[in-house]
Structures are given as structure tokens and as C-alpha cells.
Amino acid sequence: MKRIAIYSRQSKETEKGESVKNQIQMCKDYFSKKYDDCIFQIFQDEGFSGGNTNRPQFQRMMLLAKRHEFDCIACYKIDRIARNIIDFMNTFDILKKNSVSLVSITEGFDPNTPTGMMMMTMIAGFAEMERMSIAQRIKDNMTELAKLGRWSGGTPPFGYKPVK
């Protein structure tokens, strides 16, 4: 029997959480086709950035991984685990020390081989670069809004009305 932890994350919290549900279902489908007997434990963080590992369900999953509660952690993509290469490599090291494998169902490589490890490191680096690019675009857009004299801070404070 294969004990599999499925981790899903979405930065923006939504009412439906469809992306999180889709990630979980795709992971279940992947392993159900591969193994006859699987037990899944689901961990999901909606509304949390991958910029750090301070996410409640992620922390709980890592604690259980150290206790050998499952054989494998599955995720839709590596960037669901972390968008910071140092956090990702630290996480991977903890999993490796505790004999818990990590499987990205869409990226298709084996991190236990030298080539797979290199690919995983590169993908984690690309995830961090994407996070930094998103942050820069947001900063640039906020700066441009401010230059135009437009409100750039979300909902106006109580008592103020936006003027068009």
C-alpha cells in the first residue's frame, strides 16, 4: 500500500478554490493509474505565497514527513512546494533524510538521479525567478498608478471616495 501526501497551494484565495481542487484531483488520478492501492492524505494552503514555507498545512505535512507518516509527497508542480530555491532545497533535503520521495506529476523527472536532481534545481530556480518577476511587475504598476495620481492601495480608507 502506497501512502501518499498530496500538497496543493494557491497564492490567491478564492471562494471556489478550483485550482487547489484540480491539483489534488490530478495527483490522485496520477497515482491511482500507477498503483492499485493508495492512501491519500491531503494538505492544501489557499491564499499563501510560495515565497516562504510559513504555511500551516505545509508545516503540518513536513512534521508528519519527519514522523514517516507517508512514503511520498506529490504536487502538481515544484513551484507549489516553494518559489524560493533555498527553501525548496532545504525541504527536499529533509524529505530525503526521512526517506520520503517527492513527485511532481507534471514535470516528469526522477530527483534521485543526477540529471533529475539538476532538473529539479533548475525548475526551483525558475520558480523563484517567476516570483521575483511578478513582484517587480506589481511594484512597477503601483509606481505608474501613483505617478498618474491614482489610488494604488486597494480599497480606499473609510470616509474616502474614489474619484474618476
Side-chain angles (χ1 to χ4, degrees), residues 42-54:
I42 309 300
F43 301 87
Q44 59 189 60
D45 284 313
E46 190 171 356
F48 288 90
S49 167
N52 63 55
T53 58
N54 296 326

Side-chain angles (χ1 to χ4, degrees), residues 98-155:
N98 288 284
S99 301
V100 176
S101 62
L102 176 64
V103 175
S104 164
I105 65 160
T106 59
E107 291 160 332
F109 54 82
D110 181 359
N112 297 311
T113 66
T115 304
M117 183 63 164
M118 180 196 68
M119 291 300 295
M120 185 182 60
T121 304
M122 286 175 46
I123 289 172
F126 287 130
E128 182 171 5
M129 181 185 74
E130 177 63 14
R131 181 180 61 90
M132 293 183 331
S133 295
I134 290 168
Q136 186 62 48
R137 283 193 301 268
I138 291 170
K139 182 180 172 189
D140 292 345
N141 288 335
M142 299 290 267
T143 300
E144 286 305 309
L145 286 173
K147 284 180 184 176
L148 295 171
R150 295 176 55 196
W151 176 255
S152 61
T155 305

Side-chain angles (χ1 to χ4, degrees), residues 9-141:
R9 178 189 63 76
Q10 182 177 353
S11 297
K12 189 172 183 181
E13 195 166 3
T14 63
E15 288 182 21
K16 295 180 183 177
E18 290 172 350
S19 176
V20 169
K21 289 177 187 169
N22 289 341
Q23 291 174 42
I24 292 167
Q25 190 58 51
M26 289 174 77
C27 288
K28 283 183 176 180
D29 293 345
Y30 176 87
F31 283 97
S32 294
K33 288 175 187 172
K34 202 169 183 170
Y35 302 103
D36 291 331
D37 197 11
C38 299
I39 294 177
F40 298 106
Q41 194 166 351
I42 309 300
F43 301 87
Q44 59 189 60
D45 284 313
E46 190 171 356
F48 288 90
S49 167
N52 63 55
T53 58
N54 296 326
R55 294 170 259 146
Q57 289 295 301
F58 181 82
Q59 292 295 321
R60 184 171 159 262
M61 178 183 70
M62 293 304 292
L63 178 67
L64 295 176
K66 290 176 187 174
R67 295 180 185 167
H68 308 284
E69 295 281 327
F70 30 81
D71 308 306
C72 172
I73 292 178
C75 60
Y76 174 69
K77 289 175 69 177
I78 291 295
D79 68 2
R80 301 299 85 198
I81 299 293
R83 284 190 177 257
N84 175 310
I85 196 164
I86 294 171
D87 286 342
F88 180 79
M89 296 310 290
N90 287 338
T91 298
F92 184 74
D93 189 49
I94 291 167
L95 296 176
K96 194 172 183 178
K97 285 178 183 172
N98 288 284
S99 301
V100 176
S101 62
L102 176 64
V103 175
S104 164
I105 65 160
T106 59
E107 291 160 332
F109 54 82
D110 181 359
N112 297 311
T113 66
T115 304
M117 183 63 164
M118 180 196 68
M119 291 300 295
M120 185 182 60
T121 304
M122 286 175 46
I123 289 172
F126 287 130
E128 182 171 5
M129 181 185 74
E130 177 63 14
R131 181 180 61 90
M132 293 183 331
S133 295
I134 290 168
Q136 186 62 48
R137 283 193 301 268
I138 291 170
K139 182 180 172 189
D140 292 345
N141 288 335

